[in-house]
Amino acid sequence: MSRDATSPLSPSLERRLGPLDASAIIVSNVIGGGILFTPSQVAAVIPHPLWFLAAWCAGGGLAFAGAMAYAELAALRPQAGGEYVYLNAAFGRLAAFLTGWTSFIAGFTGAIAASAIVLTFYLGRFFPGAADGTPFFVVPLPLVPLTVSRQALAALSAIALLAWVHVRGVGPGRLVGNALAVLKVTALLMFIAMGFSIGSGSMANLRASAGPVAPASWLLALIPVLFTYSGWNAAGYIAEELREPGRNVPRAFAFGTAAVIAIYVSLNALYLYVLPVDALAHVQGSVLDVIADRLLGARAGNIMGLVSIVSLAATISAMTFAGPRVYYAMARDGLFFPAAARVHSRYRTPAAAIVAQAIWSGLLVLSGGASALTRYTGFAVVLFSGVAVAALFVLRFREPSAPRPFRAVGYPVAPAIFILASLAIVLNAVYSDPGPAGAGLGLIGAGVPLYIWFSRRRLS
């Protein structure tokens, strides 16, 4: 007999969010630490300005094609969980569990931990102790020691604070998330406008190549590009809490993803306007800081420090909102710990799932494992999103008469291109950089024994 994690009398999630709330979550989830650091990595692989910008445009086009496919899937099945729900419907529980498992061990938690660590560097501009990574206490665990420093405590505080906000209800979480998203977008748009209007740069930089670009290298560069775009699928995780999901989910995907594409392409064009592509490739640390220093001079450090703090806090907030809905959906199906499926009787949030994600993120901060996990599983973001878009074809074939409030724009060509591009990127990653890709596949495969254990427990 199966064991249900929830009962008919237990509280459920509430549909309190609108399309702008979900769009804000997409924008905040996507625009984070990645855009501060990956442009230099991409420029190192693609030393040609036009091909460099083409990679960001291609990544944006793929993200939008994927977003439209997800919009149909989320409108068809407006439940919490995103890819977990779509893979479960199309390919079965094991595939669904593995995407949820990857989200928990690295996808959301690793990104939260990495963002929190980066956040402390910017906090250190105003509170020097916040960036002090000198250990003052070590927990000597057998496999991975946990190192406590002031920097780690600052990162843990940021994670805990935003987890507390989101446990307290969708209302407080929405208020904080929307405010941070508005501040982030406003600051970036002002920076872009000032950069092109009063900044010192040269349009000649957009034509000055620093070397040839091999097709395999361009495909390999799409991994950090798509990783930087990752998060456009955030509206799917919270579909169960959106009012009128058949109408509002597609709107959220379209508005949020389009806004991100416009900001990313504009930012990268500004980077090239200020720095030639070969100089951009050699930037150490945050590209945004270097560009701001060129444009704003000595005042740039503190100004961009504040912008980065807001941006990273918004990202952590969005992931704290979206991620636990995956574990909630898994637990509701008996494929995760039952507590994760419980909805707080007062706040109507998956409180235990939020706390569990925060704890694991905190352990990654203390162990220093966040950067390795996100590097190893970066290609998995592309892999699972490609499989999720493939679910669109499966469900169109298997459920042709199911009511579809929204149909993916460009079907079948756009989602097919997304799938083929995802497959090419994943295969190229395995071939060109087999170490991290192999480690990532190993981490994903480590979820299979857990799936078997949860499945047996569910049937006991």
Side-chain angles (χ1 to χ4, degrees):
M1 181 177 179
S2 66
R3 180 187 302 175
D4 292 327
T6 58
S7 71
L9 298 178
S10 63
S12 59
L13 301 176
E14 293 183 305
R15 295 195 181 277
R16 297 183 56 188
L17 301 175
L20 293 180
D21 299 319
S23 297
I25 290 173
I26 290 175
V27 171
S28 293
N29 203 37
V30 177
I31 304 176
I35 195 59
L36 304 179
F37 301 99
T38 55
S40 59
Q41 301 170 18
V42 176
V45 180
I46 308 178
H48 190 290
L50 296 183
W51 283 112
F52 171 84
L53 288 177
W56 290 97
C57 291
L62 289 172
F64 195 82
M68 292 298 94
Y70 270 59
E72 177 175 330
L73 292 166
L76 177 66
R77 281 179 166 75
Q79 303 162 17
E83 293 95 350
Y84 170 81
V85 175
Y86 318 143
L87 267 63
N88 194 8
F91 303 113
R93 289 180 177 271
L94 176 58
F97 175 82
L98 290 179
T99 186
W101 157 252
T102 305
S103 293
F104 183 76
I105 61 166
F108 281 106
T109 52
I112 287 172
S115 296
I117 288 293
V118 176
L119 177 65
T120 63
F121 288 111
Y122 290 101
L123 284 174
R125 293 179 181 273
F126 308 98
F127 308 99
D132 184 358
T134 306
F136 62 80
F137 185 73
V138 177
V139 181
L141 296 183
L143 296 177
V144 181
L146 303 182
T147 303
V148 182
S149 64
R150 290 183 180 179
Q151 181 185 50
L153 291 178
L156 293 176
S157 298
I159 294 170
L161 175 61
L162 289 166
W164 177 80
V165 168
H166 287 286
V167 164
R168 298 280 296 181
V170 171
R174 175 177 59 183
L175 180 64
V176 171
N178 288 355
L180 290 173
V182 169
L183 287 172
K184 171 192 288 194
V185 171
T186 301
L188 290 175
L189 290 178
M190 290 179 61
F191 179 69
I192 293 168
M194 289 175 60
F196 281 115
S197 60
I198 64 173
S200 57
S202 173
M203 296 302 294
N205 291 344
L206 298 175
R207 299 184 297 271
S209 173
V213 179
S217 297
W218 194 81
L219 275 177
L220 191 62
L222 279 180
I223 292 180
V225 169
L226 289 180
F227 186 76
T228 308
Y229 272 111
S230 64
W232 51 262
N233 52 359
Y237 300 116
I238 61 168
E240 196 165 323
E241 293 159 278
L242 274 172
R243 301 186 301 269
E244 300 182 63
R247 182 178 68 171
N248 288 332
V249 166
R251 288 181 175 181
F253 273 113
F255 296 159
T257 308
V260 169
I261 294 170
I263 291 172
Y264 271 10
V265 173
S266 299
L267 267 178
N268 280 287
L270 178 61
Y271 293 164
L272 290 177
Y273 175 70
V274 177
L275 288 176
V277 68
D278 56 339
L280 178 61
H282 289 90
V283 170
Q284 301 294 321
S286 171
V287 177
L288 197 63
D289 286 5
V290 174
I291 300 298
D293 184 63
R294 293 287 188 95
L295 295 176
L296 305 176
R299 299 169 296 169
N302 288 341
I303 293 173
M304 298 317 299
L306 290 172
V307 171
S308 298
I309 287 170
V310 170
S311 178
L312 290 162
T315 299
I316 297 170
S317 174
M319 290 188 286
T320 302
F321 198 139
R325 272 64 183 175
V326 181
Y327 328 134
Y328 166 81
M330 294 168 65
R332 189 164 57 180
D333 289 343
L335 293 179
F336 204 59
F337 299 103
R342 296 180 191 142
V343 176
H344 196 284
S345 58
R346 178 180 176 187
Y347 302 129
R348 294 294 186 93
T349 58
I354 295 172
V355 171
Q357 178 177 266
I359 290 173
W360 183 246
S361 299
L363 289 174
L364 291 179
V365 168
L366 294 174
S367 67
S371 59
L373 281 178
T374 51
R375 178 169 176 252
Y376 294 156
T377 58
F379 82 100
V381 173
V382 180
L383 171 65
F384 283 119
S385 60
V387 175
V389 172
L392 177 64
F393 290 90
V394 174
L395 295 179
R396 282 271 189 120
F397 175 78
R398 191 182 296 167
E399 304 173 5
S401 58
R404 287 177 167 80
F406 176 82
R407 289 179 177 268
V409 176
Y411 181 90
V413 176
I417 291 173
F418 183 94
I419 294 168
L420 291 174
S422 300
L423 178 62
I425 292 167
V426 170
L427 292 178
N428 189 59
V430 173
Y431 175 78
S432 302
D433 203 7
L441 289 172
L443 286 169
I444 296 169
V448 174
L450 275 176
Y451 168 78
I452 295 171
W453 182 78
F454 278 119
S455 295
R456 290 177 176 174
R457 187 178 183 277
R458 177 175 176 270
L459 296 174
S460 63

